Amino acid sequence: MKKIFITLITIAALFTGCEKKTLKNPMIAVFIPGIIADSPTYEKLANGVINGVTNFNDGKDDDKKALLSIMEVGTNQAEWAQKLTALAAERKYDVIISSNPSLPDLAFQVLEQFPDQKFIFLDASCEGNPNIMTKCYDQAQQGYVTGYIAGLMSKNHKVALISAQDYPVMNNIIFPSYKKGAQDAVAGTSVDYRVVGNWYDATKGAEITDAVCKTGVDVVLPICGGASQGVISSARNNKIKIAWFDSNGFNKAPEVIISSTQNLQEKLAEEVTTEWLEGKTKWGSAQTVGMKEGYIQFVNEDPFYLRNVPENIRKQMDELVEKITSGELEIKL
């Protein structure tokens, strides 16, 4: 986090007293729909854009360097549209880069007032709008692989997913694929689904985990931001296991985490930033990337994975990942 903080201070100074019409510099804003410190996904987004800008600026004169601003808007989703509109209203950012499935719909509202604004969104899908380019992770693959190991590791054949909120990608892709994976791994596995109601309430996360443990659930997948800390605390107390999503989470709780599927958000964010700076963005396009393209990985070499998961299950997971990566197995919901 120090890297991002220092960059924000340095870049903010560059904007003082500047209007876009007096600058040649390309100007980028990163819109963080949350808090970087609470989300590896948003930390990787910010770092990736920073890397892209840093590499582009290397060796260039000051009047040709890209300028960057990073804006954290908090976890209250009701405020995101207003804050995204306010950012576009500054009329100085050539492109706004962000990451969240809900953002294309918010961008449509912004474009009604500011039709020239350009957006690049990761972890989202929107095709055909000339002002928007998106790249989405194949979360059906991610959910399926996570569910599969949860099913294999559950002694009671009962697993759960605890989500921060209901949203289309969760309801239509992540949870159904997680459920399918668990039940394909072990027929008859029951899959519970609970909602915290926000992305920060660790107390509620712990209460929900305690509740599902009482029903016999012994493996949980939390996708609930800061509330995941409560899930971890409950998992320790109840001696159950956790499957982790979007990053390598083993160090968060080595004694309870049994798997991690991670997306390479930092790499993808750097690539889309570089493409835009080089004038190569394919506006209106929507691409889905997954294991085959190298943007989703099942972490199978971490020492805690090797310690926590029996060899026979690790072998089954290696075979599953190879089938998905090669295209032999396609996840259909």
Side-chain angles (χ1 to χ4, degrees):
M1 296 314 302
K2 182 177 180 182
K3 176 181 179 183
I4 295 174
F5 179 76
I6 292 174
T7 304
L8 278 167
I9 296 299
T10 303
I11 291 166
L14 293 174
F15 286 141
T16 304
C18 293
E19 297 294 334
K20 184 180 176 183
K21 63 184 180 181
T22 66
L23 290 173
K24 299 178 183 177
N25 310 70
M27 301 180 74
I28 300 171
V30 176
F31 183 86
I32 303 291
I35 300 170
I36 292 173
D38 288 341
S39 173
T41 295
Y42 296 141
E43 180 180 0
K44 290 188 285 187
L45 170 67
N47 277 336
V49 178
I50 289 169
N51 293 340
V53 169
T54 300
N55 293 336
F56 176 81
N57 287 346
D58 187 32
K60 288 184 172 62
D61 294 335
D62 286 347
D63 64 348
K64 294 182 180 179
K65 289 183 176 180
L67 304 181
L68 172 63
S69 180
I70 299 174
M71 179 183 184
E72 294 177 296
V73 299
T75 57
N76 185 349
Q77 193 166 349
E79 298 177 351
W80 292 356
Q82 178 184 355
K83 292 181 177 180
L84 187 62
T85 301
L87 189 62
E90 295 185 38
R91 295 181 180 271
K92 64 182 180 182
Y93 302 110
D94 299 295
V95 66
I96 296 173
I97 302 176
S98 191
S99 175
N100 189 283
S102 66
L103 286 174
D105 287 341
L106 302 186
F108 296 153
Q109 300 173 38
V110 174
L111 288 169
E112 291 178 2
Q113 299 181 59
F114 306 101
D116 295 329
Q117 183 63 62
K118 298 288 189 179
F119 297 95
I120 295 174
F121 296 132
L122 306 185
D123 196 18
S125 183
C126 173
E127 189 169 16
N129 189 301
N131 289 69
I132 300 173
M133 189 276 282
T134 61
K135 297 216 178 200
C136 184
Y137 302 105
D138 191 332
Q139 292 181 317
Q141 292 181 354
Q142 224 176 331
Y144 185 86
V145 169
T146 305
Y148 204 92
I149 190 168
L152 292 177
M153 290 291 291
S154 174
K155 296 179 180 179
N156 297 335
H157 309 310
K158 293 184 177 183
V159 304
L161 189 157
I162 299 176
S163 176
Q165 295 175 318
D166 285 316
Y167 53 97
V169 172
M170 173 58 68
N171 296 342
N172 300 331
I173 299 176
I174 298 176
F175 177 67
S177 60
Y178 176 73
K179 180 177 180 179
K180 179 176 174 59
Q183 294 180 338
D184 283 356
V186 179
T189 297
S190 68
V191 186
D192 200 347
Y193 175 71
R194 304 291 178 99
V195 177
V196 176
N198 58 62
W199 293 87
Y200 56 83
D201 192 341
T203 299
K204 185 73 176 292
E207 291 173 354
I208 291 173
T209 309
D210 287 344
V212 297
C213 285
K214 291 178 181 178
T215 71
V217 166
D218 57 0
V219 180
V220 173
L221 166 61
I223 304 180
C224 47
S228 297
Q229 294 305 314
V231 178
I232 290 173
S233 177
S234 173
R236 286 173 170 146
N237 292 337
N238 288 286
K239 300 187 184 327
I240 67 165
K241 303 300 181 183
I242 287 177
W244 202 255
F245 211 72
D246 279 348
S247 66
N248 185 342
F250 285 103
N251 285 332
K252 295 179 181 295
E255 70 277 26
V256 297
I257 292 180
I258 48 91
S259 74
S260 292
T261 55
Q262 62 180 0
N263 62 50
L264 272 63
Q265 175 101 318
E266 185 168 330
K267 175 185 176 184
L268 190 58
E270 180 175 348
E271 289 175 357
V272 299
T273 302
T274 301
E275 286 175 359
W276 179 80
L277 288 166
E278 294 177 349
K280 298 178 181 179
T281 299
K282 296 179 179 178
W283 297 108
S285 68
Q287 182 185 11
T288 298
V289 295
M291 289 185 172
K292 182 178 180 179
E293 296 80 11
Y295 292 95
I296 293 176
Q297 294 180 341
F298 180 76
V299 180
N300 64 356
E301 295 182 353
D302 189 282
F304 294 116
Y305 173 71
L306 299 176
R307 186 190 74 180
N308 294 344
V309 178
E311 183 179 0
N312 66 313
I313 292 179
R314 298 201 308 268
K315 183 178 179 181
Q316 290 180 71
M317 293 307 301
D318 287 344
E319 292 171 353
L320 176 67
V321 169
E322 175 57 32
K323 287 180 180 179
I324 295 174
T325 303
S326 68
E328 179 183 346
L329 175 60
E330 184 178 347
I331 309 305
K332 296 181 179 180
L333 301 177

